């Protein structure tokens, strides 16, 4: 129930930002110029920041922790045994 309430509050805040900032802005990306309202531009920029931040957090924290957990849960004999000799060396 709390998650639904927070989601609704975020949607209302997003709608307010969009409605209260109707000015048109241009975004020049070098090869193309985009035109959008200031509210939409702010919300898209915020969303992109959240996505990029989540990806950075996943790569830098979550994946290494999953690897450590996987190693910690591995059978005891599997990590102590040396790798098998494939016969490629002298």
């Amino acid at each position: 129930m709390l998650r639904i309430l927070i989601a609704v509050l975020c949607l209302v805040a997003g709608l307010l930002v969009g409605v209260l900032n109707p000015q048109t802005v241009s975004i020049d990306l070098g090869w193309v110029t985009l035109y959008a309202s200031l509210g939409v531009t702010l919300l898209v920029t915020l969303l992109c920041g959240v996505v990029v931040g989540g990806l950075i957090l996943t790569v830098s924290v979550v994946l290494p922790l999953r690897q450590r957990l996987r190693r910690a849960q591995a059978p005891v004999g599997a990590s102590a045994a040396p790798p098998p000799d494939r016969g490629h060396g002298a």
Side-chain angles (χ1 to χ4, degrees):
M1 187 67 177
L2 182 62
R3 288 182 184 179
I4 293 173
L5 179 63
I6 291 172
V8 168
L9 288 175
C10 288
L11 285 173
V12 168
L15 285 172
L16 283 174
V17 168
V19 169
L20 295 176
N21 294 291
Q23 303 87 352
T24 302
V25 294
S26 63
I27 302 166
D28 188 4
L29 299 175
W31 67 91
V32 67
T33 302
L34 302 174
Y35 297 95
S37 71
L38 180 59
V40 170
T41 303
L42 287 171
L43 292 174
V44 168
T45 304
L46 177 66
L47 179 63
C48 289
V50 168
V51 169
V52 169
L55 290 174
I56 290 172
L57 183 68
T58 299
V59 169
S60 65
V61 176
V62 174
L63 293 179
L65 285 176
R66 282 189 180 182
Q67 288 176 350
R68 285 179 58 188
L69 180 62
R70 207 172 295 128
R71 276 188 240 124
Q73 291 178 342
V76 176
S79 62
D85 186 22
R86 304 239 186 243
H88 295 291

